Amino acid sequence: MKKKQRIETTCVQGGYHPGNGEPRQVPIIQSTTFKYNSSADMGKLFDLEASGYFYTRLQNPTNDYVAAKICELEGGTAAMLTSSGQAANFYAVFNIANCGDHVVSLSAIYGGTFNLFSVTMKKMGIDFTFLSPDCTDEELEAAFRPNTKAVFGETIANPALRVLDIERFAKAAHKHGVPLIVDNTFATPVNCRPIEWGADIVTHSTTKYMDGHGAGVGGCIVDSGKFDWTKYPEKFPGLCTPDESYHGVVYTERFGLGGAFITKATAQLMRDFGSIQSPQNAYLLNLGLESLHVRMARHCENGQAVAEFLAGDDRISFVTYCGLPGDRDHALAEKYLPNGSCGVVSFGIKGGRAAAEKFMGNLKLAAIETHVADARTCCLHPASATHRQMSDAELVAAGVSPDLVRFSCGLENKEDLIDDIKQALDAI
Ligand SMILES: *Cc1c(COP(=O)(O)O)cnc(C)c1O
């Protein structure tokens, strides 16, 4: 039944398979705890000898149904939900990198992730080397150190909209005996499945397209089960040597390559940090997933139409959208994103910061928000919001021009979005 099932069907029906007389919709198990007949039964759970639920800080059935759907969509072997995308990326890296370790990351990544890596995880003793997507092979090679534990990138970077050459970075990671972790938030598995191109771990901010309605913050981690930790036991002792906090269990031995990474992240990181997604939010996330394939097609159609309109308007100084033939990442998009990328377009307005601010104020349909990937079109002018403290020169150095507008096309009629942009440009 699961064999050869197409992605649209998995969006609707994956993960939860009710039995005779059971609820059709994913049940919300709104319970912190679970009852057992004997202490011995519960003891087996604590020793990881039996699988089951005992406390929702670690695991909850509603979350696991929804994680199983995302796991199927990405083609992985195990998955877990987290309370946010930030928690997902933190867990994915911290599960294999400890104090004294090093990680190679693309520099074109989400600002929150960049801060997590360069400030907070650095304080924990983990060092990061940031590489441009345009780095040479020599620069890529030179970034690795004996204590490197992973390579990290985003399929479509937020907000730079650069497309990751997944095969290239997977090959480099594997050559150095470490996994490639890919944040697939903007593409979603509907448009790209990084595991098929060599990625080992996939993460998501489900807050974006997966939820799709601005309803709940959440994250997810999917393991491909393909990375052989046991080939490098000295690099990954947490997965390949006994965990004394669970009576000496060795994750790779007990749970195999398919289950070791997610079981360790649940048993250790979820236990100790508790960044669990609420079952209510997991339920809402699943409603979003049921229409993800339908919505992504419309987000992309609208993104393409808006990008093409902007590219043809001489009041616009530049447009970044990998679906445009002139875009610097168009060839990568044709390879990795043949059915479309996402609905986010960034562009500049001639006249600089002042013109961009006026344009934003003139918009009627598109709302000014610190959000993307929503059913409702939203936009942000980084120079007057997220990057407000920077001078024009500092903005340019950070790759954010003062006139840059990040425009996230929703699910409205594309002609209405273009009309809104036209009238906002006319009124500058
Ligand atoms: C938003 C975002 C995150 C962070 O996710 P939250 O759910 O807001 O914590 C991580 N990665 C990417 C690519 C994002 O767009």
Side-chain angles (χ1 to χ4, degrees):
M1 184 192 81
K2 259 168 66 180
K3 275 174 261 132
K4 281 282 146 211
Q5 180 176 289
R6 289 161 187 83
I7 197 139
E8 295 84 353
T9 308
T10 305
C11 281
V12 181
Q13 296 216 10
Y16 173 65
H17 306 285
N20 194 36
E22 289 180 354
R24 186 69 192 96
Q25 183 52 281
V26 171
I28 303 173
I29 307 296
Q30 192 66 46
S31 182
T32 58
T33 192
F34 300 82
K35 170 191 168 290
Y36 287 90
N37 290 334
S38 74
S39 300
D41 286 338
M42 184 166 282
K44 282 183 197 148
L45 298 177
F46 273 89
D47 286 350
L48 301 179
E49 275 170 14
S51 67
Y53 298 94
F54 53 94
Y55 193 53
T56 289
R57 168 154 44 78
L58 283 93
Q59 269 185 297
N60 175 282
T62 308
N63 294 21
D64 284 352
Y65 290 135
V66 181
K69 176 181 282 188
I70 298 173
C71 188
E72 281 179 50
L73 289 170
E74 289 287 5
T77 56
M80 67 197 287
L81 296 190
T82 56
S83 57
S84 66
Q86 287 296 106
N89 283 327
F90 172 59
Y91 280 22
V93 175
F94 197 61
N95 206 31
I96 46 176
N98 297 309
C99 182
D101 287 340
H102 170 256
V103 174
V104 175
S105 174
L106 274 293
S107 58
I109 54 172
Y110 175 63
T113 309
F114 183 78
N115 199 72
L116 169 69
F117 290 171
S118 64
V119 178
T120 301
M121 292 185 79
K122 192 166 170 60
K123 279 187 206 158
M124 300 167 84
I126 302 168
D127 217 5
F128 288 79
T129 297
F130 294 97
L131 279 179
S132 158
D134 304 315
C135 65
T136 64
D137 289 344
E138 291 67 35
E139 286 165 335
L140 176 55
E141 192 61 27
F144 288 89
R145 304 179 192 167
N147 60 342
T148 301
K149 297 300 166 79
V151 176
F152 183 94
E154 294 177 2
T155 312
I156 305 169
N158 175 14
L161 303 179
R162 298 302 306 267
V163 179
L164 184 69
D165 190 346
I166 303 171
E167 278 193 318
R168 179 186 183 212
F169 288 94
K171 216 175 272 174
H174 297 159
K175 184 180 164 201
H176 291 272
V178 300
L180 173 65
I181 303 172
V182 173
D183 181 332
N184 196 32
T185 297
F186 267 27
T188 83
V190 169
N191 283 339
C192 179
R193 288 172 299 285
I195 291 171
E196 292 175 1
W197 299 102
D200 303 285
I201 310 285
V202 172
T203 61
H204 282 279
S205 165
T206 62
T207 316
K208 313 294 165 53
Y209 288 116
M210 283 190 168
D211 172 287
H213 300 78
V217 171
C220 185
I221 309 172
V222 181
D223 180 17
S224 70
K226 287 184 181 164
F227 192 83
D228 191 352
W229 314 101
T230 63
K231 271 170 78 180
Y232 315 97
E234 72 297 335
K235 253 193 215 293
F236 305 106
L239 286 155
C240 303
T241 57
D243 177 358
E244 295 312 332
S245 69
Y246 282 103
H247 296 288
V249 63
V250 177
Y251 291 101
T252 45
E253 280 174 12
R254 179 81 65 82
F255 303 101
L257 295 184
F261 187 89
I262 294 295
T263 305
K264 177 180 180 289
T266 302
Q268 294 179 345
L269 303 183
M270 210 48 112
R271 175 194 63 187
D272 293 352
F273 293 111
S275 318
I276 194 85
Q277 188 165 139
S278 81
Q280 288 275 353
N281 278 7
Y283 174 86
L284 291 171
L285 167 57
N286 188 58
L287 288 182
L289 290 170
E290 288 180 0
S291 63
L292 182 65
H293 55 301
V294 181
R295 292 184 291 106
M296 283 313 288
R298 176 60 79 92
H299 281 296
C300 292
E301 181 188 333
N302 287 356
Q304 186 73 33
V306 164
E308 283 172 11
F309 165 77
L310 292 165
D313 192 294
D314 59 14
R315 292 167 290 186
I316 300 302
S317 54
F318 68 89
V319 185
T320 303
Y321 189 73
C322 65
L324 290 177
D327 189 84
R328 62 184 159 181
D329 288 339
H330 188 63
L332 287 173
E334 284 193 307
K335 174 175 175 177
Y336 294 110
L337 302 156
N339 299 321
S341 55
C342 65
V344 184
V345 182
S346 66
F347 57 93
I349 294 167
K350 287 180 187 165
R353 183 192 291 257
E357 269 177 41
K358 271 209 191 103
F359 169 80
M360 297 278 293
N362 294 341
L363 288 166
K364 293 192 165 68
L365 272 181
I368 299 172
E369 291 171 22
T370 309
H371 191 39
V372 283
D374 189 17
R376 290 143 294 211
T377 294
C378 53
C379 59
L380 184 77
H381 178 223
S384 54
T386 48
H387 296 64
R388 183 175 183 82
Q389 73 286 1
M390 294 185 178
S391 68
D392 283 7
E394 285 171 329
L395 284 170
V396 172
V400 179
S401 60
D403 62 343
L404 183 139
V405 173
R406 183 183 71 184
F407 199 89
S408 171
C409 298
L411 300 174
E412 302 91 341
N413 181 293
K414 62 188 172 193
E415 300 303 336
D416 285 339
L417 296 182
I418 291 170
D419 284 348
D420 192 29
I421 293 172
K422 262 189 213 158
Q423 66 80 25
L425 285 170
D426 290 344
I428 291 177

